[in-house]
Structures are given as structure tokens and as C-alpha cells.
Amino acid sequence: MVLLDYGSGNLHSAERALVRAGAQVEVTADHRAALAADGLVVPGVGAFAACMAGLRDVRGERIIGQRLAGGRPVLGICVGMQILFERGVEFGVETEGCGEWPGTVDKLDAPVLPHMGWNTVDAPADSVLFAGMDVGTRFYFVHTYAARSWELPPSDHLAGPALTWTEHGSSRFLAAVENGALSATQFHPEKSGDAGAQLLSNWVKSL
């Protein structure tokens, strides 16, 4: 498995968490290695625009697109989830994302920001990522922006995505998406203790 190194993300903690989940991990931005790996993890912290700039520097958006075109699994984490959407809007500035999913990542509507700490999620029964977890399981979030709607139209030929939602303030937003080979979490599984370890293990076993 490759943990994509493009200058953003908690690489060391993510690597440790993935190893704990049973993966053999290579931290690299090498194009061939990232395309050949059984799974690709795209971490991300900080600003949407900065993450996209770093991703483009290593042709990361092409790596993601090429993997998904071949049905090869990708997992985005935190801003690594956000950049999968069409665009992000921060401080009034719109930045083009990878465009794997339609929609905009924008600021949460909440009296206290960032949304930082433990929160529960509402996962669907058919989720692979959350399989075996109890209702009320908590995950660790640190963010001010999120995808607050799902705009991909349903398909007559493909199974619908598994969408996991949560709330902060008056904002309901996507906590995780499982859409074919592409999965992502807004929270940090590598900072979410046993629950995060189980989620990563579920994903690794699905590869």
C-alpha cells in the first residue's frame, strides 16, 4: 500500500495506524509505485488550496484518476477527502478540486469552529468501513470546512454509494463516503483510537 507523500497530512501517525491495521506501507510520491499499489491513501491537513497545490506538484490528481479508472482502491482522509470534490471555498476563494465527486466543500454553520474533538456518525447498514461497529462509536474530527450535500445523481447501472453523515452546530455534513473504489473520511481514523483502527482494518481487508 502507498501513503501518498505530497507535503500534507499526518504521515507518521497515518503510517503507524495503517501498519497496525495490517498493511505494508510505503510512503512515497512515486507515480509508478502509487499506481501499482493494492491501495492508495491520500491524507490531508490544512487549507484546501494548499493541499491541491501540493497534490498537483506530484501529479497526485492524475494518480487518483488513473487508479479509479481501473477500479483500484483509494482512501482520502480529512482534507484528502475534501479535495476529491469539484471545488473548495475558503475565505471567499474558490479552488478547483480533483472533481471525482460533484459538489462544493465550504464552511460549516456552527457557533464554535473548528469542529474539533470526538463525534458520533450515522453510518448505513451496508457500510464496509464501519462494519462491526456499535451505534454511538466516536471518531476524532478537526476541521472547519466540509461537504454538506451529496450531488452525484443515482445510476441505473451502478450500486449507490454508502454515505455516512454527522452534525456539528446546525450543519449536517458527510463524515464518510464509500463509492465503489473510492472511499473517504472527514475525520481522522489515525487519531480515533480503537475505532479508527477498526475502520482502517476493515478497509485494508477489503482490498
Side-chain angles (χ1 to χ4, degrees):
M1 174 182 302
V2 162
L3 179 61
L4 189 62
D5 182 4
Y6 67 100
S8 179
N10 302 301
L11 292 175
H12 295 302
S13 58
E15 181 182 12
R16 287 195 302 270
L18 287 163
V19 169
R20 179 185 176 191
Q24 291 184 314
V25 183
E26 180 181 3
V27 181
T28 183
D30 180 77
H31 201 94
R32 290 184 180 179
L35 289 177
D38 290 340
L40 177 71
V41 178
V42 183
V45 295
F48 188 107
C51 284
M52 277 307 303
L55 195 68
R56 290 195 175 100
D57 283 345
V58 300
R59 298 184 297 161
E61 80 285 7
R62 296 184 186 179
I63 293 170
I64 293 169
Q66 286 179 253
R67 284 187 62 87
L68 295 176
R72 306 278 284 166
V74 175
L75 175 67
I77 295 175
C78 196
V79 184
M81 170 177 173
Q82 296 177 8
I83 51 131
L84 297 170
F85 288 86
E86 281 181 325
R87 68 190 68 83
V89 178
E90 296 183 353
F91 306 108
V93 177
E94 183 174 309
T95 302
E96 183 180 351
C98 293
E100 297 298 338
W101 294 320
T104 301
V105 171
D106 58 10
K107 194 173 183 178
L108 295 173
D109 183 9
V112 177
L113 291 173
H115 172 216
M116 182 166 60
W118 298 85
N119 203 346
T120 57
V121 302
D122 182 15
D126 60 348
S127 169
V128 172
L129 292 181
F130 298 93
M133 299 192 199
D134 296 331
V135 174
T137 298
R138 293 178 175 269
F139 298 88
Y140 191 78
F141 291 81
V142 184
H143 64 116
T144 298
Y145 300 84
R148 296 190 287 166
S149 63
W150 179 254
E151 300 179 17
L152 187 68
S155 168
D156 293 333
H157 309 291
L158 300 173
L163 304 178
T164 297
W165 298 88
T166 193
E167 295 181 359
H168 176 62
S170 59
S171 283
R172 180 174 181 260
F173 63 91
L174 284 162
V177 176
E178 298 162 70
N179 181 215
L182 182 56
S183 298
T185 66
Q186 177 59 66
F187 56 83
H188 287 276
E190 77 280 8
K191 295 182 178 181
S192 296
D194 291 343
Q198 184 173 350
L199 181 142
L200 290 174
S201 178
N202 286 345
W203 183 71
V204 169
K205 289 175 182 176
S206 75
L207 300 179

